[in-house]
Every structure is written in structure tokens, then in C-alpha cells.
Amino acid sequence: MLVAWAVAAVLTLIGWSTADGERQPDDLWLLVVLLAIPGLIGLAVAWGIGSVASRQRNRERA
């Protein structure tokens, strides 16, 4: 998951730095949000997968 976020962050930074004026965020906070979104999505997916796996292990033990 961390690798996927790092790749997304690097691609966002590369796209942001090479884009012409229309696509570049005018505000640094927008760039931070664009970098945080892939990480938050990855955390949500990892938490969901871990929750499902934990429930299945608990069912097998019972």
C-alpha cells in the first residue's frame, strides 16, 4: 500500500510540475490534498481488508 501511495504521489508531483498553467494547482494546499487522497483511499482499503480477514479468522477459531 505504501508503494502504491508513493507512486501516486510521485506521478502527481511530476504531472503538477510539468503541466502548463491550467492544470497546476494555484494553492499549495490543493497539492497537499491531491497527494493525501491516494494515501487515505489506500488506508481505507487496507483497513477494510484487514477487518474482513480478522472476521474470517475469528469464525474459523469458533
Side-chain angles (χ1 to χ4, degrees):
M1 178 192 70
L2 184 60
V3 172
W5 177 82
V7 169
V10 168
L11 290 176
T12 301
L13 285 173
I14 290 171
W16 181 71
S17 65
T18 60
D20 291 332
E22 292 180 5
R23 293 186 56 196
Q24 288 185 354
D26 293 333
D27 192 5
L28 182 60
W29 286 108
L30 180 58
L31 180 61
V32 169
V33 168
L34 291 174
L35 292 175
I37 288 172
L40 294 174
I41 291 171
L43 284 174
V45 169
W47 178 79
I49 290 171
S51 177
V52 168
S54 176
R55 278 189 236 146
Q56 286 181 350
R57 276 185 295 216
N58 288 339
R59 286 181 189 165
E60 290 174 359
R61 288 181 188 164

